């Protein structure tokens, strides 16, 4: 809980107890597969739209043949596991703060152990896992630098972390429309969509945690709706509540006035509406890969050891041109 006498949002932006309740509630909903479209899109292999750098595919494309022990941080119902094979991962430990999610986890051919634990406090010894994965979970932790450090700590040397999390432009259409409507009708606004990390900070945070050979990439998933009310209804009923993705910020506003909602709907359609009358909702995904140092890994050349200057690159084009002639 937040320190006494201090603003919760100043220390911990998210109410982790509420998040646990939301995820437990989401795991008990009927037909959960219909609710996990975004998680399935990010974690799995198949899915509509262009090919994306999904977490399971990244694991399978690594040069390493087999991971003897892997950890799924914030596993939920275990959608990463069902897209992996025992030839890739010999044993898997799934960790989630919501016990209902683990109880209703999807079955997999990989021998699996499920542990109820907070993603912010991993209960494992140092140098335990060959692989750590996490999909659409870390954007809810209060101390992301600490979470990255803990993941780095439980990895073995030469172990790899592969993660995905919502990015800063997620639901920007909805956020902007609600803020403009509240400014117009109520003279101010409060957050209705949780804050997200900027991609410019992600590489720095991973590097500070001790990871090297970093790769950070972004992707977008766009879903079209008839209007703002359908966006809100679907987010509440399917993608957000059913996925346990409701806003759990301490400074969240409990409700919106109907007049404000009507104004936001008009702004949404005017600013972002498609030619067919629908409106888009954008989900930005950050994908990240980082390795724990091992002496066998390739090392950058010492500073000043280069034998060719970047200024000489212009000469190469001239040599190529003369060779063609």
């Amino acid at each position: 809980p937040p320190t006494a006498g201090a603003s919760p949002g100043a220390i911990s932006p998210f109410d982790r107890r509420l998040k646990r309740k939301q995820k437990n509630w989401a795991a008990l909903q009927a037909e959960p597969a219909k609710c996990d479209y975004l998680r399935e899109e990010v974690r799995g292999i198949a899915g509509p739209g262009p090919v994306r750098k999904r977490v399971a595919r990244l694991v399978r494309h690594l040069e390493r043949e087999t991971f003897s022990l892997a950890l799924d941080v914030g596993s939920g119902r275990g959608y990463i596991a069902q897209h992996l094979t025992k030839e890739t991962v010999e044993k898997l430990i799934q960790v989630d703060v919501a016990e209902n999610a683990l109880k209703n986890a999807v079955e997999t051919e990989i021998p699996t152990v499920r542990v109820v634990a907070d993603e912010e406090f991993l209960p494992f010894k140092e140098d335990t896992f060959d692989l750590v994965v996490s999909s659409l979970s870390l954007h809810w932790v209060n101390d992301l630098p600490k979470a990255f450090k803990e993941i780095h700590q439980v990895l073995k040397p030469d172990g790899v972390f592969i993660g995905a999390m919502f990015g800063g432009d997620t639901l920007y259409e909805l956020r902007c429309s609600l803020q403009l409507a509240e400014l117009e009708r109520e003279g101010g606004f409060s957050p209705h969509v949780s804050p997200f990390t900027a991609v410019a900070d992600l590489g720095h945070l991973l590097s500070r945690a001790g990871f090297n050979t970093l790769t950070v990439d972004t992707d977008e998933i766009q879903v079209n709706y008839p209007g703002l009310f359908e966006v809100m209804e679907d987010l509440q009923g399917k993608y957000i509540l059913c996925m346990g993705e409701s806003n759990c910020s301490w400074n969240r506003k409990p409700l919106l006035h109907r007049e404000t909602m009507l104004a936001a709907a008009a702004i949404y359609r005017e600013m972002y509406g498609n030619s067919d009358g629908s409106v888009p909702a954008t989900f930005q995904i950050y994908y990240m890969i980082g390795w724990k140092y091992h002496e066998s890994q390739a090392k950058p050349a010492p500073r000043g050891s280069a034998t060719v200057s970047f200024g000489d690159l212009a000469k190469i084009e001239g040599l190529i041109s003369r060779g063609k002639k």
Side-chain angles (χ1 to χ4, degrees):
T3 306
S7 169
I11 301 173
S12 303
F14 303 121
D15 184 345
R16 293 291 295 177
R17 292 177 182 175
L18 176 59
K19 176 50 56 186
R20 181 178 183 179
K21 291 180 181 178
Q22 291 171 347
K23 295 184 75 173
N24 271 321
W25 181 89
L28 296 178
Q29 299 310 297
E31 299 183 284
K34 292 183 178 180
C35 304
D36 280 319
Y37 166 79
L38 286 176
R39 293 192 186 281
E40 182 66 25
E41 173 76 6
V42 173
R43 295 180 180 189
I45 299 172
V51 175
R52 295 182 169 88
K53 295 187 177 180
R54 301 180 182 91
V55 175
R57 179 174 293 175
L58 290 172
V59 173
R60 292 171 61 177
H61 283 189
L62 290 175
E63 293 182 0
R64 193 167 181 168
E65 292 183 0
T66 304
F67 297 94
S68 59
L69 184 61
L71 172 67
D72 185 354
V73 177
S75 63
R77 296 180 58 249
Y79 280 98
I80 290 180
Q82 70 173 332
H83 295 296
L84 299 174
T85 65
K86 57 186 178 182
E87 287 75 24
T88 305
V89 175
E90 294 179 351
K91 186 175 181 180
L92 176 67
I93 295 181
Q94 295 175 329
V95 169
D96 200 276
V97 70
E99 58 271 22
N100 288 341
L102 296 175
K103 289 177 182 177
N104 293 278
V106 180
E107 292 301 322
T108 173
E109 66 178 41
I110 302 173
T112 302
V113 176
R114 299 181 177 102
V115 179
V116 179
D118 196 317
E119 297 96 326
E120 296 187 3
F121 306 96
L122 298 178
F124 305 106
K125 294 181 179 179
E126 187 175 355
D127 301 340
T128 299
F129 299 96
D130 304 287
L131 167 70
V132 177
V133 295
S134 180
S135 182
L136 301 187
S137 173
L138 292 176
H139 55 277
W140 285 124
V141 303
N142 280 313
D143 192 343
L144 189 57
K146 179 178 180 295
F148 283 153
K149 287 180 180 178
E150 292 214 358
I151 290 172
H152 182 271
Q153 181 173 322
V154 301
L155 274 172
K156 294 179 180 179
D158 201 33
V160 60
F161 166 57
I162 301 177
M165 60 188 294
F166 283 126
D169 286 340
T170 295
L171 296 175
Y172 71 89
E173 305 98 338
L174 178 62
R175 282 185 293 172
C176 184
S177 300
L178 290 172
Q179 289 175 3
L180 291 174
E182 278 193 290
L183 282 171
E184 177 190 351
R185 298 302 174 94
E186 302 179 29
F189 67 87
S190 61
H192 297 282
V193 178
S194 296
F196 299 104
T197 303
V199 68
D201 299 327
L202 201 54
H204 178 62
L205 293 176
L206 288 166
S207 179
R208 281 179 53 191
F211 290 101
N212 58 28
T213 320
L214 296 173
T215 301
V216 177
D217 202 358
T218 65
D219 191 16
E220 287 187 354
I221 300 172
Q222 192 172 90
V223 184
N224 292 321
Y225 297 89
L228 177 138
F229 288 99
E230 288 78 11
V231 175
M232 298 288 287
E233 180 182 1
D234 210 31
L235 292 176
Q236 292 291 326
K238 185 181 292 186
Y239 298 124
I240 302 301
L241 278 181
C242 219
M243 288 167 50
E245 289 293 324
S246 290
N247 187 358
C248 67
S249 302
W250 286 102
N251 60 348
R252 64 190 179 277
K253 191 173 181 179
L255 55 86
L256 278 167
H257 297 103
R258 179 167 177 78
E259 294 77 11
T260 303
M261 288 289 291
L262 291 171
I267 293 171
Y268 203 138
R269 191 174 301 278
E270 178 66 26
M271 292 184 64
Y272 304 107
N274 298 317
S275 57
D276 61 359
S278 64
V279 296
T282 299
F283 298 88
Q284 185 180 43
I285 313 295
Y286 296 157
Y287 293 93
M288 64 203 93
I289 302 177
W291 297 80
K292 187 169 183 176
Y293 174 77
H294 187 267
E295 59 184 9
S296 65
Q297 294 172 350
K299 300 177 179 64
R303 186 180 179 88
S305 63
T307 58
V308 179
S309 169
F310 278 111
D312 295 332
L313 293 178
K315 301 176 183 178
I316 295 177
E317 292 185 3
L319 292 173
I320 292 174
S321 299
R322 287 199 295 272
K324 287 181 179 180
K325 290 180 181 179

